[in-house]
Each structure stands twice: as structure tokens, then as C-alpha cells.
Amino acid sequence: MKALVLLSLLVFVGSYTSEALVVNVTLGMEDNFATTTTNRETVPRTGILLTCSMYNWTGVSQPGGFVGDAQEMGAAYFDTKPKDNALVWSVTGLPTDALLQNARIEMNLKCEDSMCHNDGYGFMWDNNSCRFPYFRQWTNLTSFGNWTTGNIKFVNISLTSDIKVSADKTLLQRIKETGYFHFLVGDDTSVDYFRLFYTVADPPSSSLVSFSCATYLLGRTLAKTSVVYSDTTSSTITNIIDSASYPFTSTSLISTANSDRNVTQSTFKFYITQSTRFWLFVPSGVTLGWISDGGWDSLTGASVTTTTSNTATNRTFVVYTKRYDGPRWVIFGGASSSSSAVSPAMFFVSWTFAQALIVTPSNPSAVCACESTGDPHYVTWDKRRFDFYTPGTYHLVKARDCTFDVQTLTFKYGPTVAVNGIVSVRYLNDVVTLARTPGAAGALWTGSPVVRVNGVIQSASVTQGGLQVNKITVDQWTIVISAVGLTVKTVAAGNWFHVYPTLSDPSYQRKVDGLCGNCDNNPDNDFMTPGCAIAINNTATKLTCNQAADWGVKWTVPTNQLVADLSVLSSTNIGSNSYSSCTSTPIIQQCPSLIPPEPPKTGTTAIVIEPQAPTTFVSCSTSGTPVHCGGDDDHDDDDDDDNDQPPKLCTWRTEYNQITLKCTECANSNLYASDDCILDICQLLDNGKTIGNYSCPPGPQVCNYTTITKNVTIGSYDWATLDNANPDGVAPSTPACQDKAYYIPLGWEVAPNDATSKSVAESKNWETACLVVEDGNTFATNTTKVDGYTGSCPVHSCVVQPVKTCYHPNFCGTKLLLRRPRVPQCQNGIIETGEQCDDGNGIDTDGCSNTCRINTNGWICVTNVKSYTMYRLCQ
């Protein structure tokens, strides 16, 4: 499993001083250019590197005038590789709060061809479209000397402040902006290993927020004679019994306030930019509930003793430890804390940068899917439905860091609803806009869409920056931003647009918001405001119209960020204006409640519950006391009234039976909700059209069918994986990704999270390290029991559902575990051979009979192998 281990950045800490920490990012192993497949280490790749077919560094200005080259990467590994082969990898997780200091790159190189004197190194980012803005030949390095076949050289490259990657941007500034870089060695040179060294200053005071508004001191070292509290010198550390496994002497101390010494529920948060290990020092005899709930490990035998000088009182602190991956806020304390004893001493904390966990990489093929169709009907990433009829321009999908923004302008259509008239997609400074031709106020917008890129009309497919604009037909276009995994399919139909965004980059799947929600596989928190309040708490399948309207308008696009508006269609700089305005007034980049939970302790399946920040805390006053608001008033608790109801379904029309037949067809073929379909057709009829003018929306079309042929019988079930893996198959050295989303085949269901599923997972190899079960958690397979295996299974967002009953693991190296009963049985909730439906109950009058046959009276019945759904008509 060595190749798997080397997929992650290994981050270690060098010597600590009062001014800075030395960080060493190591990729590959120093093994003298291994030549065998089993010993070569795979290079880590993220972002655009997953889609580039060719890497280009031709024409890059540099000393000596070398014209550069362009090559494919067919050998994505360190050590001995073929010539004429670009080697490109990603270095991620770098600090974004300050420039790297004393940064240098260390490598061991080997020349594989007589032309390698033209070789060199380069830097690139996702928005560079696979072209390197910076490249330098090895021979430009001081004292590098001759470079020909068979030569081996050790190199040091200093990343100085004068290295520019554009006319107005230095390399170090670009790294600070993005937190990463893609690095090239091209193209006849092999690399044994790669190391990046840099120093970081102690964290600024702004990286800690105290909810009690007490003062906390940062930047000192935990050692004998260290002061425990920040506002007194009377309590110092006099003895340390360190941990052999996780030593904490000389780590950085977060010193609490003496005024907090009796407050076991004191709460503060601390911001980290990369993998960080923390130690908690708690007075002996004191129990804090948030420590055990949060999965902290007790360091048996380790302790710290403090002495209070004025009373000569000694106090022993027991020690806990936990590692967190950044960037994120880490919360200490919380309302869930409990104390078993009153203590005159408060916990204190220390930290240091840590080795990154070896985790399964994210699966770039997994997608969340959203819809805005008809007049308009919305389905969020996590499958919540609502209708939103208020005209305006809204964020359909907004990256909270401002990188991209999908906006829709809806215009009033008929007396009660609105439809999509303009769709705009911004990526950084570039914008593509699709607009129907507007009519008078309240009238139809008509014609095929007019497509503009940065204000210029386009009639064919085109690429601009990181935007790929693809013309499918005159009425159907797709906009792709490969760097962030976003695709927006638009279909002009009737007098509006159907809009289908999909998002595949897991790094954004909890950092987007807008009318599509946040793509975290939890439907209960889809309706957040820009300030991260949950505006709607109910879990109903579909919101009322008042609820949708009150929440939806909170995602109105500010005037200075508009790119979907008639007034800016021809503007050539509206994208840069919008991006600049967005970054100057940012919203919260990741809602605290969406930060993924930490993995459970090794060998357990315990649920980790992180402490929560006080929901009412605003800031500290000038006098140092907390300022709290009156609670979340964003919730809609109004009683339902007539305005909450959608427009009446047109049961009075003579065409009603024909309408239901058409909508049954749409539901069966495209899984388009029947009540949405009925509303669409009613509006058409109100505007003088006929049912024949209505076409079923095409749907997101992101799912595929599969057949299970490989399974194992254990107990009363057959067991398999969604991608039909061999239960006894060995996991590949590089984690494999499920490349498509699949419907659950007839007769099968996703295995539940229970002891039986865990036992089945552990009993076989399954060609993978981790199996995902029904609630998105994972179990380790027998693969992880092999000597030398290092790693852990992910425990959050492990599966996405682009559409109902369609699944896709969100991480490479994970597979979805399925089961089916060996003996088919009606009323078990699984549609099996011979059944028309199975809703898991014995009620004979709910659309699915107690013999698993369809009762159609009063129902629109949808039956296919994908799923079985009954839509009750409103009478």
C-alpha cells in the first residue's frame, strides 16, 4: 500500500523558535530512482491536472530564449520515468494568511536523454488552462553545470520575492492567494523526491476568537517555567511527564485567562490553515463532556504539574490529544460541557503542525445535481423541492469564496409565477450569458438564446479563460468550469430556460450556497442564508410558497455583483467588476455547521460530536464583554394561509385527464415531478397554448444503469458493490474511482449502517479499502488488515445522489455496499422481480397495494427500474 501512503502531503515540523515554525512538505521517497512499478510513488494531482491532456510551456519568456515544449503526462510517478513525458503534481494546503517565508524546493534529478539540457521546472494554477506562466531551464540555475544522459544532480531552488508569474504578481503572492501550486518537471528528467521547506510566523491574534471575551496569549512555548494563564505570573509549569507517542514539550501554548479558571464551559475558537495536532491539559478529576464527545484521545501516563507561587499549591493536569485537518476553525469548550468537580484551574491548550492523515482522495467523477425548471421549480443538490415565484436576479449557485457564480434572472410570467429568462455563469473575471429575447412587461420572452462571452455574441462553441462554452443545439448549451468541477446545462424550452448545474469537486461541495443549497448530502440544512443561519427548519419534501419566498429573496444578487441582467449584457468588463465587488465584501466562506466532522478513533465507529460556537455571539465590546444577539430570527414560523399554497392544479379543465397522462409520461421518462409538470401545462393553457406545445424537461441526465454479476451470499442476503467489484478482489495500489453514477438495480438496496454490514465489509477485500453504507458512513474492508497499511476511511459526504436512487461514492478508493434478500418478499421496501411497487407497508389504499400492485385511483404512478414514486394529486 506504499503508493497510497504517498498520495498525501507529509507535513512535519522542524525546530520551533519564538518567531517561526519550519515546515517540510515531502512528496515521494528518497529511494535512488526506483525502477519497478511497485516501488514508484504516484504524484498527487488535483484541480485542472485531472483534466489536462497536454501541458504547454512554449514561448515562456526566460533567460537564454528557449522556446519551450508541450508534452503529455503518461507516467504520473516519481523515480525513473520515460523521456518526452511531462511530470506535473500539485502541492496543496499552503498558508493563505501570509506569504511563505524562507521558501525553497529541494529535489534529486536524473537526466534520461541527451536533450534534457532544455529541461526545467515551472509553476501553474487552475485558471492557466494547462499552460505554465512560469518556466526556467535547469541550466539557468547558478552552478548547475552540464546536464546530459545519466547525470544525477541535487538541486535547491529558492522561491524569492522577485520571481514573477505575471506582470503584476509574484510567485509568493500567487501562492498566498490560492494556497497551492502545480509544479512541472519537463520533460526528459526524472525526479526521485520533492521537498518544499518554508517558515510561518506565529498565528496572528485574529486567529483566536474568545466567546467569553477573556484575553488569550499566543506564541509562547510549553516548557518548564511556562506561565499557564495569560493575565497572571503566579501559576507556572513545574513538571512535565511527556508522551512518547505524541510529545508535547516545546509545542506552542495557547494560554487561557486566569479569570476563566473556574469556568469549565469557557468557549473559544482557533483557526488553522493545515493539519494541526492539539493537546488539551485538564485538571485531574475534572470531566468535560465535549472532550469525550469530540473523540479526543487520552494520553495515559502523560501529565503536567503547575505550581501557584503565592499559595505553593501544586495541581496535576491530565493530557488529551487530537489532530485536525485545515483550513478550518477548531472550537474548544461549549455548552455541552459538564464537570464532575469544581476546579480552581481551567484547561489550557498547545498545538503544532502535524503529519497529514493518509486519506482516500476525493473522487472527481462524483457529482451533486440541482435543477431550476419550468416556472421555476427547484430541486436542491440534496433533493429538497420548492417553487419560487418572485421575479428578480438570484444566486442559483454561489461559491462562498467568490470563485464562481451562477445567476438566473426570472421574469413575471402570467398572473402568479415567474420563469428563467437569463442564465449567467461567472468564473473569476469571465462571464458567459444566455438570454431569451424579452417581450413587454408580463409578456413572453421568445426565441433561441443569445449567447455572449464577456459581452461579445457567440454562435459556436468557445473557450474563454477557464470557461468552456459548448453548443449542443441552438437551444441547448453547456458551460463547463473544469477547475472547480462545475457544469451548467441550459435548455431553452417554451418561453423559459431549464437549468441543470452539477458539481463534482468535493472541495467546493460544502462551500457553495444559493438557491441550490450547499451540497453536503444533508437535506435538512439546505435553506441557509448568506450569514449561515438556517432559515427553514422543517423537513417536508416540498416547501410552501411563503417559506420559499421568504428565504429565496435572501439570495438576491447585489447590484454591484450582477452579471444576469439586461443592462449589462453587452458589457465587456462586468465579470471583473462583479468578481472584484464579491471579494471586497465576502460572505462566510464555509458555514461552521458544514465543517466535516473529524474521523472517529481508530478501530471504533463512535460518532464524533464537535463543540458548537454560541449561536447568539456577535463580538466583544470595547469594554471586553460579549455582545449577543437575541437569537435566530430568520426562521419562518408563520401559520400557513392561502398564500402558502401553490396555484391550484387545474382539475376543472376538460383537458385534465390528458394533462395527467402527459405528466405521468414526464415522471416516468425523466423523473420530473408531476405537480410541477401540471403547473407548467396549466400556465401554457392559460396563455393560449395546447398540451401538444409542452415538452418534458430533459432532466439532468447524470445517471446510468448497471448490472450486478459479482456477489457473495452471507446470511439471508446477497451482498455486492454498486460498481460490481469482485468480493475477493485485491484493492489496487492507487485508489480507483467509480467513474459514473449508477441507479440501484432492481431487487437491490443500499446496505444499512449496522453490525451485519460492518461484518460483511470486513470479511472480504472488495477491491477497495472502504465501503459506504446507507447513511454515508464507511466501514473498512479486509484490505486494511494487511501489514503495513496506513490510512483511514472518510466519514463525511461519502456518497452523493445526483437524482433519486442514483448513487456515486464521493471518494476514490470507496465503493457502495448493496444487499438483496435471498427470498423476495412483498412489503420489504425493495422492488423485486414480479412486483410493480413496494412501499414497505401493508396499507392497501396508498397507491401501492398490500400485494405490491399499483392502485392508480387518485394517484399518478411512476414505475421504472430506477425507482418507484407515487405523486398524490391535490383534489
Side-chain angles (χ1 to χ4, degrees):
M1 300 301 295
K2 181 170 65 173
L4 174 62
V5 172
L6 291 163
L7 281 173
S8 292
L9 302 183
L10 303 181
V11 182
F12 299 93
V13 181
S15 59
Y16 174 83
T17 71
S18 60
E19 287 134 3
L21 290 170
V22 180
V23 181
N24 169 4
V25 180
T26 298
L27 300 174
M29 295 183 65
E30 192 172 351
D31 52 10
N32 196 28
F33 300 96
T35 58
T36 63
T37 303
T38 54
N39 289 331
R40 291 167 177 161
E41 300 98 34
T42 304
V43 298
R45 291 182 291 170
T46 62
I48 200 170
L49 300 195
L50 301 171
T51 59
C52 290
S53 59
M54 182 74 69
Y55 296 94
N56 189 338
W57 60 97
T58 58
V60 180
S61 177
Q62 64 167 320
F66 173 58
V67 295
D69 208 341
Q71 294 287 354
E72 299 176 337
M73 181 165 65
Y77 48 77
F78 290 112
D79 297 317
T80 303
K81 69 169 185 63
K83 64 179 183 178
D84 299 326
N85 193 307
L87 184 62
V88 188
W89 61 86
S90 305
V91 180
T92 61
L94 302 178
T96 57
D97 53 351
L99 296 176
L100 300 186
Q101 303 173 25
N102 307 310
R104 65 180 178 89
I105 288 172
E106 173 187 299
M107 290 183 292
N108 209 23
L109 309 176
K110 180 181 179 182
C111 176
E112 303 290 353
D113 183 77
S114 60
M115 296 298 293
C116 65
H117 63 276
N118 287 326
D119 285 2
Y121 62 96
F123 294 89
M124 181 184 77
W125 289 265
D126 284 347
N127 65 338
N128 295 131
S129 301
C130 307
R131 178 176 171 80
F132 287 83
Y134 182 90
F135 180 83
R136 286 294 181 272
Q137 290 175 262
W138 304 122
T139 50
N140 284 327
L141 296 175
T142 303
S143 304
F144 189 85
N146 188 43
W147 190 228
T148 188
T149 307
N151 286 167
I152 294 178
K153 289 182 182 289
F154 172 85
V155 297
N156 261 306
I157 303 170
S158 295
L159 307 187
T160 56
S161 59
D162 60 345
I163 298 176
K164 285 200 168 186
V165 293
S166 66
D168 60 349
K169 195 81 65 179
T170 69
L171 170 66
L172 295 177
Q173 288 172 333
R174 190 76 177 105
I175 293 173
K176 177 179 178 292
E177 284 182 353
T178 61
Y180 75 96
F181 60 83
H182 303 307
F183 190 76
L184 161 76
V185 170
D187 60 344
D188 299 319
T189 298
S190 293
V191 183
D192 188 28
Y193 66 91
F194 168 96
R195 291 193 185 108
L196 169 67
F197 295 90
Y198 62 91
T199 59
V200 291
D202 285 327
S205 59
S206 60
S207 63
L208 190 145
V209 176
S210 166
F211 299 115
S212 66
C213 296
T215 301
Y216 288 78
L217 190 63
L218 304 176
R220 293 178 304 152
T221 301
L222 191 152
K224 289 184 180 181
T225 72
S226 295
V227 175
V228 172
Y229 300 117
S230 61
D231 52 359
T232 180
T233 58
S234 65
S235 198
T236 60
I237 296 174
T238 53
N239 188 53
I240 296 175
I241 301 177
D242 211 340
S243 165
S245 53
Y246 298 108
F248 48 82
T249 300
S250 299
T251 56
S252 296
L253 186 64
I254 300 177
S255 184
T256 58
N258 185 55
S259 57
D260 273 350
R261 65 187 181 279
N262 295 316
V263 186
T264 57
Q265 294 187 11
S266 177
T267 306
F268 67 92
K269 64 179 181 179
F270 184 69
Y271 191 76
I272 60 174
T273 58
Q274 61 188 77
S275 295
T276 303
R277 178 163 292 280
F278 289 93
W279 289 263
L280 271 174
F281 303 88
V282 180
S284 179
V286 172
T287 301
L288 301 178
W290 58 270
I291 296 178
S292 56
D293 291 344
W296 288 77
D297 288 311
S298 174
L299 295 180
T300 303
S303 67
V304 166
T305 302
T306 65
T307 300
T308 304
S309 58
N310 56 350
T311 61
T313 300
N314 292 336
R315 177 152 282 104
T316 300
F317 289 73
V318 295
V319 188
Y320 301 85
T321 188
K322 186 176 180 182
R323 184 205 54 78
Y324 284 90
D325 282 328
R328 62 168 290 165
W329 287 99
V330 179
I331 297 175
F332 296 88
S336 64
S337 301
S338 61
S339 175
S340 63
V342 176
S343 172
M346 182 55 189
F347 70 86
F348 57 95
V349 180
S350 72
W351 65 276
T352 190
F353 292 129
Q355 178 176 338
L357 263 189
I358 310 304
V359 299
T360 6
S362 299
N363 188 346
S365 301
V367 296
C368 292
C370 174
E371 302 176 21
S372 173
T373 59
D375 50 4
H377 319 295
Y378 295 86
V379 182
T380 68
W381 305 117
D382 298 323
K383 306 297 156 276
R384 294 293 295 275
R385 294 176 55 220
F386 62 95
D387 299 330
F388 179 35
Y389 301 128
T390 306
T393 303
Y394 301 99
H395 295 291
L396 183 63
V397 183
K398 176 181 173 62
R400 283 182 167 269
D401 66 0
C402 297
T403 301
F404 57 88
D405 191 2
V406 182
Q407 299 179 13
T408 54
L409 178 146
T410 61
F411 66 90
K412 189 174 182 181
Y413 179 66
T416 57
V417 299
V419 296
N420 294 316
I422 297 178
V423 182
S424 292
V425 181
R426 179 185 60 76
Y427 177 55
L428 301 177
N429 295 314
D430 296 311
V431 175
V432 56
T433 298
L434 300 92
R436 308 296 295 270
T437 301
L444 306 179
W445 289 30
T446 58
S448 295
V450 178
V451 181
R452 294 176 174 86
V453 176
N454 292 339
V456 180
I457 294 177
Q458 306 291 332
S459 59
S461 299
V462 65
T463 298
Q464 172 63 43
L467 284 167
Q468 302 168 31
V469 185
N470 303 317
K471 179 180 180 181
I472 311 303
T473 69
V474 292
D475 290 326
Q476 181 174 330
W477 295 69
T478 60
I479 299 94
V480 180
I481 308 175
S482 299
V484 299
L486 179 71
T487 297
V488 181
K489 180 174 120 179
T490 65
V491 181
N495 302 104
W496 51 73
F497 283 106
H498 301 306
V499 187
Y500 303 96
T502 59
L503 182 64
S504 64
D505 188 338
S507 65
Y508 275 102
Q509 285 180 349
R510 288 172 176 253
K511 298 179 182 177
V512 293
D513 228 315
L515 299 183
C516 280
N518 49 49
C519 189
D520 74 333
N521 204 32
N522 178 9
D524 295 340
N525 63 7
D526 278 7
F527 305 111
M528 284 186 165
T529 68
C532 293
I534 297 179
I536 301 170
N537 272 322
N538 77 43
T539 57
T541 302
K542 188 169 184 177
L543 301 186
T544 65
C545 296
N546 270 3
Q547 288 174 325
D550 291 347
W551 165 72
V553 295
K554 292 178 172 63
W555 287 104
T556 300
V557 179
T559 303
N560 59 3
Q561 295 180 30
L562 278 175
V563 292
D565 191 80
L566 290 171
S567 63
V568 298
L569 291 181
S570 300
S571 172
T572 57
N573 61 355
I574 190 61
S576 58
N577 292 343
S578 173
Y579 183 41
S580 174
S581 297
C582 183
T583 54
S584 65
T585 56
I587 61 176
I588 299 172
Q589 294 203 5
Q590 184 172 24
C591 294
S593 62
L594 299 181
I595 295 173
E598 286 299 302
K601 300 176 187 177
T602 304
T604 74
T605 57
I607 301 299
V608 173
I609 303 173
E610 291 291 329
Q612 296 297 309
T615 57
T616 59
F617 178 83
V618 177
S619 63
C620 294
S621 69
T622 54
S623 61
T625 57
V627 177
H628 289 263
C629 62
D632 184 6
D633 60 0
D634 242 347
H635 302 295
D636 185 348
D637 297 322
D638 297 336
D639 293 333
D640 289 346
D641 54 33
D642 290 340
N643 292 328
D644 281 338
Q645 303 303 320
K648 294 292 185 182
L649 301 181
C650 42
T651 56
W652 54 271
R653 285 191 175 274
T654 57
E655 307 96 335
Y656 182 70
N657 286 337
Q658 287 77 21
I659 294 174
T660 59
L661 286 173
K662 181 66 175 178
C663 290
T664 300
E665 173 194 330
C666 293
N668 272 310
S669 61
N670 296 351
L671 292 180
Y672 188 58
S674 60
D675 54 350
D676 293 344
C677 170
I678 291 171
L679 289 177
D680 292 345
I681 296 178
C682 287
Q683 290 297 320
L684 280 180
L685 297 175
D686 287 344
N687 286 283
K689 300 292 184 65
T690 68
I691 297 175
N693 295 120
Y694 184 73
S695 299
C696 299
Q701 298 173 344
V702 294
C703 213
N704 303 271
Y705 296 96
T706 188
T707 301
I708 302 297
T709 60
K710 303 171 185 175
N711 60 81
V712 61
T713 300
I714 300 176
S716 57
Y717 289 91
D718 294 329
W719 302 81
T721 65
L722 183 58
D723 65 343
N724 201 32
N726 181 352
D728 296 313
V730 177
S733 57
T734 299
C737 307
Q738 180 180 311
D739 61 348
K740 298 177 181 177
Y742 293 112
Y743 291 113
I744 303 299
L746 182 67
W748 292 85
E749 68 173 350
V750 182
N753 184 350
D754 60 19
T756 302
S757 297
K758 182 175 185 290
S759 176
V760 170
E762 293 175 343
S763 68
K764 299 288 181 179
N765 288 330
W766 297 106
E767 298 184 41
T768 189
C770 311
L771 290 181
V772 185
V773 291
E774 184 178 39
D775 60 359
N777 283 306
T778 58
F779 293 131
T781 69
N782 186 61
T783 297
T784 64
K785 298 178 181 179
V786 176
D787 288 344
Y789 177 84
T790 304
S792 67
C793 292
V795 294
H796 60 84
S797 295
C798 297
V799 67
V800 292
Q801 287 183 266
V803 294
K804 189 175 177 64
T805 74
C806 175
Y807 290 85
H808 204 313
N810 210 15
F811 293 87
C812 300
T814 64
K815 299 179 184 292
L816 191 67
L817 182 64
L818 306 182
R819 72 176 189 180
R820 70 177 175 193
R822 296 191 64 193
V823 179
Q825 181 180 353
C826 180
Q827 302 175 24
N828 64 3
I830 306 171
I831 303 176
E832 297 160 307
T833 303
E835 296 178 348
Q836 292 181 328
C837 60
D838 195 326
D839 56 5
N841 64 55
I843 301 173
D844 204 30
T845 57
D846 63 352
C848 183
S849 75
N850 56 15
T851 59
C852 292
R853 312 300 293 178
I854 295 171
N855 291 336
T856 59
N857 184 26
W859 296 78
I860 285 182
C861 300
V862 183
T863 57
N864 50 43
V865 75
K866 308 172 194 174
S867 64
Y868 178 78
T869 309
M870 303 295 282
Y871 297 103
R872 185 68 171 171
L873 296 183
C874 301
Q875 301 291 348

